[in-house]
């Protein structure tokens, strides 16, 4: 087998590894007319959180992570808060098919000059989750800030907890938008 034929499966494996460990993608949006310095306390908005279509255990993990990040920024959890926090989630299952065209047999190959194929296909699936964190003005009941984080999730309990904490941290790094606090 030629050296270049060996190099392609190795590169494909590296690309699979790199794409499976992709980082968290974050986006935020907010109301330009809001002075975010006026908010100093928070509470969770139960009606909104109850609608999130994830397990109660994952909800608790997300809420603990949000509380941790906000208290790091100097916010206090309160029964009479300045802002309310709600979450919702979306998930997508990604199916990746990788084809190794090395080997001999019937089928079209890499060049139009000879037949080749009989390679193997590898199918893998991954779950990509998107977490939305909504911050709502408690008095006006208006959305003031929204953060969204997307990342690949694991079924392994410890890895999932770590990933939830990472996604929440990356989202909350963007709050407040003007960082004058």
């Amino acid at each position: 087998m030629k050296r270049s034929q060996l190099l392609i499966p190795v590169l494909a494996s590296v690309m699979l590894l790199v794409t499976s460990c992709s980082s968290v993608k974050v986006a935020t949006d907010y109301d330009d007319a809001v002075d975010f310095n006026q908010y100093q306390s928070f509470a969770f908005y139960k009606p909104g959180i109850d609608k999130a279509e994830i397990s109660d255990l994952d909800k608790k993990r997300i809420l603990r992570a949000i509380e941790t990040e906000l208290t790091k920024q100097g916010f206090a959890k309160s029964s009479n808060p300045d802002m309310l926090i709600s979450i919702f989630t979306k998930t997508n299952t990604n199916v990746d098919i990788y084809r190794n065209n090395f080997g001999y047999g019937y089928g079209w190959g890499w060049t139009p000059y000879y037949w080749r194929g009989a390679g193997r296909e590898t199918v893998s699936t991954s779950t990509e989750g998107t977490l939305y964190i909504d911050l709502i003005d408690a008095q006006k009941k208006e959305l003031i800030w929204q953060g969204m984080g997307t990342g690949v999730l694991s079924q392994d309990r410890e890895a999932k907890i770590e990933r939830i904490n990472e996604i929440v941290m990356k989202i909350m790094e963007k709050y407040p938008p003007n960082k004058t606090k």
Side-chain angles (χ1 to χ4, degrees):
M1 195 180 266
K2 292 181 182 178
R3 185 175 178 167
S4 63
Q5 290 175 330
L6 291 173
L7 186 60
I8 292 176
V10 171
L11 289 175
S13 297
V14 170
M15 286 183 59
L16 174 63
L17 181 63
V18 168
T19 58
S20 67
C21 298
S22 63
S23 63
V24 177
K25 295 173 221 130
V26 175
T28 62
D29 196 8
Y30 57 93
D31 184 344
D32 290 322
V34 173
D35 175 13
F36 289 94
N37 292 316
Q38 69 181 312
Y39 301 104
Q40 297 177 11
S41 61
F42 69 94
F44 293 109
Y45 184 64
K46 187 169 172 28
I49 292 167
D50 287 344
K51 293 178 185 177
E53 295 181 6
I54 55 173
S55 76
D56 287 344
L57 291 172
D58 285 340
K59 283 180 190 177
K60 286 179 187 179
R61 292 174 180 128
I62 291 168
L63 298 180
R64 275 189 222 123
I66 292 170
E67 185 172 345
T68 298
E69 293 302 318
L70 285 175
T71 54
K72 280 184 195 175
Q73 293 186 31
F75 291 91
K77 192 171 180 183
S78 171
S79 58
N80 188 20
D82 300 326
M83 69 180 167
L84 301 171
I85 300 168
S86 185
I87 62 168
F88 67 97
T89 59
K90 290 183 183 179
T91 58
N92 293 320
T93 301
N94 299 324
V95 178
D96 298 312
I97 301 173
Y98 299 94
R99 178 147 173 85
N100 175 352
N101 283 327
F102 294 104
Y104 293 96
Y106 298 103
W108 192 248
W110 290 100
T111 69
Y113 304 112
Y114 55 92
W115 289 88
R116 188 147 139 132
R120 290 183 297 174
E121 288 183 353
T122 303
V123 178
S124 67
T125 60
S126 61
T127 302
E128 185 176 72
T130 302
L131 170 64
Y132 293 84
I133 300 174
D134 291 342
L135 303 184
I136 303 160
D137 184 291
Q139 284 186 318
K140 297 178 186 176
K141 302 289 191 258
E142 292 178 355
L143 181 66
I144 57 171
W145 184 90
Q146 183 177 67
M148 175 193 78
T150 302
V152 176
L153 303 175
S154 173
Q155 295 302 317
D156 175 68
R157 181 182 176 280
E158 295 303 317
K160 181 172 33 171
I161 292 169
E162 189 175 311
R163 190 63 165 170
I164 286 171
N165 290 336
E166 178 187 11
I167 290 171
V168 170
M169 181 189 71
K170 295 286 187 186
I171 295 170
M172 296 311 296
E173 282 177 351
K174 305 288 186 182
Y175 182 80
N178 49 11
K179 294 283 187 184
T180 59
K181 221 170 176 0

